[in-house]
Amino acid sequence: MAAYDFTAPRLHVAADLGPGAVLPLDRAQANYLLNVLRRGPADPVLLFNGRDGEWRAEIAPTGRKSADLVVRERTREQPPRAGLQYLFAPLKTARLDYMAQKAVEMGAGTLRPVITRYTQGERLNLDRLRANAVEAAEQCGVLSLPDVPDPVKLPAALADLNPLCLLVFCDEDAAVSDPVEALRRGVADPAEPPPLAVLVGPEGGFASEERALILARPNTVALSLGPRILRADTAAVAVLALVQAVLGDAR
């Protein structure tokens, strides 16, 4: 039997969750469950709020187009938020949506927008960014929603990192032929890595003074992602897969 129920729809809710709780569905949620998915009375729905773990609930119709969810039992305990931070220069809307979703899927616990000289999308819609993070969590079984702080400029983002944190800097000019080995060399014990952060810049790259500032930070590893030029949203998937496989929770 599969360890996870992939058949039941999954919803993020704001309310506290516990046995016997009755949660009215809003219009959009009711339409999604009753009309789009064609679910009916007593059909299971998985609920999470980022605090109380995951719970199985059942649909209790209250009208032709409305229903409540009756919470039954907890299916998974609440884990702590993932420690991996993803620092990124905001992108244009469609690619930013994709990047946010994939970063959450790949295990980022923080999505931190960083303003650089060549950032293209400084007018960032944080509500949309957070909504994309929630959607990815709903679809992929994530229980701890990522933190999405306000944008900061690059020097402030670097200063805010724990000095013990290993910063993985995606640098197209890095002279690294083996990124796996570079990551392993960046920590004293690959079996017990320190807190991790990943930094991906804008599609125009980093200015020379920004690159110098990043490389001057202790506990920083500069990585090239290979001979091909990747879009920033593609680079997010590539570097997070690499970091998780070598030092993260995919080992």
Side-chain angles (χ1 to χ4, degrees), residues 32-116:
Y32 174 66
L33 290 176
L34 303 179
N35 299 325
V36 177
L37 297 183
R38 305 235 177 236
R39 301 302 166 110
D43 280 348
V45 179
L46 297 176
L47 303 178
F48 73 108
N49 59 12
R51 305 183 303 275
D52 300 322
E54 181 181 76
W55 291 74
R56 186 182 68 83
E58 294 178 352
I59 297 173
T62 57
R64 285 197 313 117
K65 297 182 179 181
S66 61
D68 292 337
L69 292 176
V70 181
V71 181
R72 295 307 186 193
E73 73 273 346
R74 181 152 44 196
T75 57
R76 288 192 290 162
E77 297 290 333
Q78 179 67 35
R81 177 183 290 152
L84 177 61
Q85 300 185 59
Y86 184 71
L87 284 62
F88 63 95
L91 308 170
K92 294 181 180 178
T93 300
R95 288 196 303 221
L96 182 61
D97 292 348
Y98 174 88
M99 184 226 72
Q101 293 165 8
K102 299 311 168 189
V104 174
E105 291 178 38
M106 298 299 297
T110 299
L111 305 181
R112 162 148 282 184
V114 177
I115 305 303
T116 69

Side-chain angles (χ1 to χ4, degrees), residues 183-185 187-193 246-247 251:
L183 285 174
R184 288 174 175 159
R185 288 200 310 268
V187 299
D189 183 1
E192 296 185 8
V246 178
L247 299 176
R251 290 174 292 162

Side-chain angles (χ1 to χ4, degrees), residues 199-220:
L199 173 61
V200 175
E203 298 200 338
F206 289 98
S208 58
E209 66 272 16
E210 292 174 331
R211 187 170 176 271
L213 179 66
I214 298 165
L215 293 173
R217 179 192 178 274
N219 292 328
T220 296

Side-chain angles (χ1 to χ4, degrees), residues 213-239:
L213 179 66
I214 298 165
L215 293 173
R217 179 192 178 274
N219 292 328
T220 296
V221 173
L223 291 184
S224 167
L225 295 178
R228 286 162 291 281
I229 297 174
L230 303 180
R231 297 193 324 187
D233 48 339
T234 307
V237 178
V239 69

